[in-house]
C-alpha cells in the first residue's frame, strides 16, 4: 500500500510538472504588416531618433485606412491560435499606447531634462510584451489562370530582433476568393513548419534563457571608474561575478571591457521570475542596479532601456 501511494505521488508530481511546463512554454505572438508592405502602401512616418531622422511604419494609419490588413491578421492569428500560440492584438495595444502618450510626452530626465526616445515599434513591443513579432508581406498578381498571391511570413524575437522563422510561397490561381482567404490558403501549406520553427526557438529559450544585452557605463563626473578596486577586486570583476551567478547556466559574452564601459551580449536570463512574471532586460538590469546600490558599493545608478532586449546602467548619478 505504501509503495502504491508513493507511486501515485510520483505520477501526480510528474503530471503537474508536465502540465505547468506545457502551459508556460508557448510563446506569445504579435502580428504586424512588414516594413516593406507599409512602404509600398505609404503607411510610413518620420521618427526623430535622437536627432537622426528615420522612416518607420505607421501601424495606426495602416489599421485605420487599409481594408485588408485587419482581416489578414485575423486569419493568420486564427491559424496560430489553432496551433496553441497565444496572440496579442497589435491594434488594441496601439490604442492603449495612444492613451498613455500624453503622460510619456511629459516624462523627462531629472538631471538633464531629456525626453524619452522610443520608436513606435519599441513602444508597441514594450506595451504588448510579446515574445515573437510576426511580420506579413503579400502581393496579388493577375495571370491568365486567375489572381495569384505571393507572401513572405517572417518571425523575429521581440527582444533581440533576430529572425527566428520564415516562410514564403505562392497560392494557386483563383478569381473568386478575397485577399485574406487567398493568403490563408497559401500560408496553410507552410504554417506547420513555420510554427515548428517558432516552437524550437522558444524551447531553446525555455531551456537556456532569454537572450538580452546589458551595457555598463559611467558618468564623466564620477570619481571612480570600472577598474577601481573594491575589497581587492575591480568593479568589472564584481559585476562579472554577479553575471555568472544570475544568468541561466552562466551564459553571456563580455564583448568589451574598459575603465569606462562593459558590454555584455548574448546574455541569457530566465523567462520568468519566482512569481511566474515574464522577465525582460529592464527587470534583469533592475536586479544589478539594486546590487550596485547596496554595500559595499553604494553607487548611484541610472537604469535605461532600449526596447525589451537591452538595458543600460550608468554609474555615478541618476
Amino acid at each position: 500500500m505504501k509503495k502504491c501511494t508513493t507511486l501515485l505521488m510520483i505520477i501526480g508530481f510528474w503530471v503537474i510538472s508536465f502540465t505547468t511546463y506545457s502551459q508556460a512554454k508557448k510563446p506569445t505572438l504579435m502580428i504586424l504588416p512588414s516594413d516593406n508592405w507599409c512602404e509600398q502602401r505609404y503607411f510610413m512616418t518620420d521618427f526623430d531618433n535622437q536627432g537622426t531622422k528615420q522612416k518607420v511604419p505607421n501601424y495606426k494609419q495602416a489599421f485605420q485606412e487599409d481594408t485588408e490588413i485587419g482581416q489578414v491578421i485575423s486569419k493568420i492569428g486564427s491559424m496560430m491560435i489553432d496551433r496553441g500560440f497565444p496572440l496579442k492584438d497589435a491594434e488594441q495595444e496601439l490604442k492603449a499606447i495612444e492613451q498613455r502618450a500624453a503622460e510619456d510626452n511629459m516624462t523627462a530626465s531629472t538631471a538633464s531634462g531629456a525626453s524619452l526616445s522610443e520608436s513606435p515599434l519599441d513602444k508597441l513591443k514594450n506595451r504588448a510584451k510579446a515574445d515573437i513579432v510576426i511580420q506579413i508581406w503579400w502581393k496579388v498578381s493577375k495571370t491568365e489562370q486567375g489572381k495569384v498571391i505571393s507572401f513572405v511570413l517572417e518571425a523575429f524575437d521581440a527582444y533581440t530582433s533576430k529572425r527566428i522563422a520564415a516562410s514564403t510561397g505562392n497560392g494557386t490561381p483563383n478569381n473568386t476568393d478575397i485577399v485574406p482567404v487567398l493568403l490563408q490558403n497559401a500560408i496553410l501549406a507552410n504554417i506547420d513548419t513555420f510554427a515548428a520553427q517558432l516552437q524550437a526557438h522558444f524551447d531553446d529559450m525555455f531551456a537556456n534563457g532569454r537572450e538580452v544585452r546589458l551595457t555598463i557605463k559611467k558618468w564623466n563626473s564620477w570619481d571612480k571608474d570600472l577598474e577601481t578596486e573594491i575589497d581587492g577586486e575591480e568593479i568589472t570583476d564584481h559585476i562579472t561575478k554577479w553575471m555568472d551567478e544570475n544568468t541561466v547556466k552562466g551564459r553571456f559574452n563580455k564583448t568589451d571591457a574598459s575603465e569606462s564601459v562593459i558590454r555584455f551580449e548574448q546574455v541569457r536570463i530566465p523567462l520568468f521570475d519566482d512569481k511566474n512574471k515574464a522577465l525582460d532586460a529592464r527587470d534583469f538590469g533592475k536586479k544589478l542596479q539594486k546590487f550596485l546600490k547596496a554595500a559595499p558599493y553604494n553607487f548611484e545608478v541610472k537604469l535605461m532601456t532600449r526596447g525589451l532586449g537591452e538595458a543600460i546602467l550608468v554609474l555615478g548619478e541618476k
Side-chain angles (χ1 to χ4, degrees):
M1 184 69 181
K2 186 175 181 181
K3 288 183 179 179
C4 183
T5 303
T6 303
L7 181 60
L8 288 173
M9 289 176 63
I10 293 172
I11 293 172
F13 176 78
W14 180 84
V15 169
I16 292 170
S17 299
F18 180 79
T19 302
T20 302
Y21 175 81
S22 298
Q23 291 173 345
K25 72 175 183 177
K26 287 292 183 184
T28 54
L29 311 178
M30 182 168 60
I31 304 172
L32 293 167
S34 72
D35 291 9
N36 185 268
W37 185 92
C38 292
E39 179 73 48
Q40 290 177 350
R41 289 159 177 77
Y42 304 102
F43 296 134
M44 302 292 284
T45 189
D46 290 332
F47 167 63
D48 186 354
N49 185 10
Q50 299 179 341
T52 302
K53 293 290 184 181
Q54 295 179 341
K55 290 182 71 176
V56 295
N58 189 330
Y59 299 119
K60 177 187 174 184
Q61 183 185 10
F63 284 122
Q64 286 180 338
E65 299 181 10
D66 190 85
T67 58
E68 296 172 345
I69 187 62
Q71 298 176 68
V72 165
I73 287 178
S74 178
K75 291 288 186 184
I76 299 171
S78 178
M79 286 188 279
M80 298 309 299
I81 290 171
D82 287 345
R83 286 155 181 80
F85 291 90
L87 197 66
K88 296 286 184 77
D89 190 295
E91 186 174 8
Q92 294 305 315
E93 295 295 347
L94 284 168
K95 291 177 182 178
I97 288 170
E98 277 206 328
Q99 294 174 0
R100 300 175 61 187
E103 178 184 337
D104 286 344
N105 288 339
M106 296 299 293
T107 303
S109 165
T110 55
S112 64
S115 60
L116 294 172
S117 178
E118 275 188 308
S119 74
L121 181 56
D122 276 343
K123 287 182 180 180
L124 185 55
K125 286 179 180 178
N126 283 332
R127 172 73 187 185
K129 289 290 181 76
D131 298 298
I132 295 169
V133 175
I134 295 177
Q135 294 190 341
I136 178 66
W137 172 92
W138 74 89
K139 180 182 179 181
V140 178
S141 304
K142 291 183 178 180
T143 68
E144 293 180 356
Q145 291 77 31
K147 294 183 295 184
V148 175
I149 194 162
S150 306
F151 76 91
V152 177
L153 196 64
E154 296 180 296
F156 299 87
D157 187 309
Y159 289 68
T160 63
S161 296
K162 290 183 177 179
R163 182 184 285 104
I164 58 174
S167 179
T168 62
N170 300 301
T172 55
N174 188 315
N175 275 324
T176 58
D177 290 336
I178 59 174
V179 167
V181 176
L182 286 172
L183 192 57
Q184 180 186 32
N185 293 336
I187 292 175
L188 201 54
N190 304 281
I191 193 68
D192 288 328
T193 301
F194 183 77
Q197 291 173 341
L198 299 183
Q199 191 60 54
H201 173 75
F202 198 73
D203 287 344
D204 174 70
M205 287 199 298
F206 198 90
N208 299 306
R210 188 190 300 283
E211 185 178 324
V212 300
R213 286 184 289 183
L214 179 68
T215 303
I216 317 295
K217 297 183 178 182
K218 63 176 284 293
W219 295 109
N220 288 335
S221 57
W222 198 33
D223 61 355
K224 299 179 180 63
D225 61 43
L226 296 172
E227 294 179 350
T228 300
E229 290 193 2
I230 294 177
D231 292 342
E233 290 187 295
E234 294 183 358
I235 293 171
T236 296
D237 297 327
H238 286 274
I239 292 173
T240 302
K241 188 179 295 183
W242 185 91
M243 292 287 289
D244 279 324
E245 295 171 353
N246 288 273
T247 53
V248 176
K249 301 177 183 178
R251 296 183 64 176
F252 62 89
N253 287 337
K254 184 161 60 177
T255 57
D256 192 12
S258 68
E259 72 278 0
S260 57
V261 65
I262 314 170
R263 300 186 197 279
F264 295 105
E265 295 183 356
Q266 297 178 313
V267 178
R268 294 292 191 132
I269 67 172
L271 263 67
F272 307 101
D273 63 13
D274 52 4
K275 297 180 180 178
N276 206 34
K277 172 183 173 291
L279 294 178
D280 58 22
R282 179 178 179 82
D283 297 321
F284 186 73
K286 195 77 177 175
K287 290 183 177 181
L288 179 54
Q289 181 189 42
K290 184 177 180 180
F291 172 75
L292 293 172
K293 289 175 72 173
Y297 314 106
N298 301 312
F299 300 153
E300 284 293 327
V301 184
K302 184 175 183 64
L303 172 62
M304 301 179 291
T305 57
R306 291 194 184 109
L308 293 170
E310 183 174 4
I312 303 161
L313 299 180
V314 191
L315 310 186
E317 61 179 78
K318 283 196 172 183

